[in-house]
Amino acid sequence: MSRIGQKPVQLPEKVKVAISGDQVNVEGPKGKLAWSLPKTVAARVEGSQVILTRQGETRAVRALHGLSRALINNMVKGVTEGFKKELDIQGVGFKAAVQGKNLNLSLGYSHPVFKVIPEHVKVVVTDNTQVSIEGPDKQVVGQFAAEIRSVYPPEPYKGKGVRYKGEQVRRKAGKTVQ
């Protein structure tokens, strides 16, 4: 039995959920999100709750039941509070800047790296080295943060690179002279 899938999703006052067939639409103060339910999972709105039921007891169906509940819960949380990822850029001369719909990264390469900011995502750069990514869709925010980090991941010798805020980078000792 999926313990996550059995829990109902609580809906705040400002959130509207519409379920038509396998399509789930969630609308709130931060935006709108849509997602298609798997065929083996059904959802219904009862009062201020979304209740999910499954149509089988196989391992895959139970897994999709919990996954569907978690994704709908993330959609509700996204349209009310939103999701946020913060990145730190460390290194001499390393910096970032928002230019229209692009994020300009100067990370020690011979050329600047441009990343197109996805729709409904807000990127704020402070002190040229602090990048804050906010949006209603958890997957889009996390994926964009991972793409920025992958341009220059933190290296273990000097610690230069792009890292998540609070991420610990294990440092290695350099070569020693004998």
Side-chain angles (χ1 to χ4, degrees), residues 94-114:
F94 287 17
K95 61 185 177 180
V98 176
Q99 296 174 343
K101 293 279 185 188
N102 293 323
L103 179 66
N104 182 3
L105 300 167
S106 299
L107 300 174
Y109 295 122
S110 61
H111 55 84
V113 178
F114 292 98

Side-chain angles (χ1 to χ4, degrees), residues 67-83:
L67 171 75
S68 300
R69 191 262 178 209
L71 290 175
I72 291 174
N73 189 50
N74 284 342
M75 290 167 66
V76 170
K77 184 179 176 189
V79 297
T80 54
E81 305 167 21
F83 291 99

